[in-house]
Amino acid sequence: MIRSARLAAGLTQLELATRARTAQPAVAAYESGARTPNLATLQRLLGACEHDVEVLARPRVRRGAASLAELGQAIGEDREHGRERDALRLLFGFADDFRASSRPGRTALIREKPPPTGDARFDAALAGVAELFAAEGGLPAPEWVDEPDRFVEPWWFVASRPAFHAYVLAHTPAVMARHGVFMAREVFDRA
């Protein structure tokens, strides 16, 4: 980063060292990775190259994890194109991303309200999933889960065969059932 900034500014290592009030061997060591500057030194060196430093802190989430808000958008697109099974897979796959994220990352994954998917069933399911995993992670459920458009009637039994309804009814987590969405807990418990 220091080398790129120095070259963009058209400076030699000696010119940068002079501007940043340090020695040229120190600049060379930072650029080669032999030494690591602290934040103040990094700001001074990059400032001497006419670059600003921004520090960004993001909660750790599993690589490639999508928040429920992002899933809501993707589910809406899948539904528009007749891909309901893909939309369901996104819902079920959220469990892995949630569980593999840090506590702050988990909060970030459920915090933002998903946009309407165009299907009340999926809108309710997203709220149920948020509540389910908030409880699992010891987190407060986001406020958006209680909005009126996050409940569905008639109830949605995700298993398409009526023969499975009794089993699903008995094995659906209470927070999912509260939203009118019935799916057995094990769809979220893959090995």
Side-chain angles (χ1 to χ4, degrees), residues 104-187:
R106 291 173 177 180
T107 299
L109 289 174
I110 65 172
R111 178 185 317 127
E112 189 179 337
K113 177 183 174 180
T117 63
D119 187 326
R121 299 171 311 159
F122 279 99
D123 294 340
L126 286 164
V129 166
E131 267 196 272
L132 176 66
F133 287 105
E136 179 183 294
L139 304 169
E143 291 181 15
W144 60 265
V145 302
D146 290 321
E147 293 178 358
D149 61 344
R150 297 298 168 169
F151 299 86
V152 67
E153 277 188 36
W155 291 345
W156 180 29
F157 283 85
V158 176
S160 58
R161 295 190 181 147
F164 295 128
H165 287 189
Y167 177 83
V168 171
L169 190 63
H171 292 91
T172 294
V175 294
M176 295 295 292
R178 180 174 103 79
H179 290 276
V181 178
F182 290 83
M183 59 177 73
R185 168 77 184 174
E186 61 261 17
V187 300

Side-chain angles (χ1 to χ4, degrees), residues 40-80:
T41 301
L42 181 64
Q43 286 177 307
R44 193 176 75 247
L45 288 166
L46 292 178
C49 295
E50 299 178 350
H51 282 67
D52 292 324
V53 174
E54 291 183 29
V55 177
L56 175 64
R58 284 187 301 244
R60 272 190 222 116
V61 296
R62 180 182 192 184
R63 171 174 261 142
S67 69
L68 287 180
E70 293 165 324
L71 286 184
Q73 184 171 345
I75 287 169
E77 290 169 12
D78 281 345
R79 281 204 56 275
E80 263 181 43

Side-chain angles (χ1 to χ4, degrees), residues 75-105:
I75 287 169
E77 290 169 12
D78 281 345
R79 281 204 56 275
E80 263 181 43
H81 295 96
R83 298 186 306 252
E84 188 167 306
R85 287 179 100 59
D86 292 343
L88 283 170
R89 274 192 212 93
L90 289 173
L91 263 182
F92 302 153
F94 179 76
D96 294 335
D97 290 340
F98 182 86
R99 291 175 180 146
S101 296
S102 68
R103 182 179 172 87

Side-chain angles (χ1 to χ4, degrees), residues 2 11-24 26-27 30 40-49:
I2 294 169
L11 300 174
T12 65
Q13 285 184 347
L14 183 58
E15 290 169 328
L16 173 56
T18 302
R19 284 184 176 191
R21 297 174 316 279
T22 192
Q24 180 276 327
V27 172
Y30 294 139
T41 301
L42 181 64
Q43 286 177 307
R44 193 176 75 247
L45 288 166
L46 292 178
C49 295

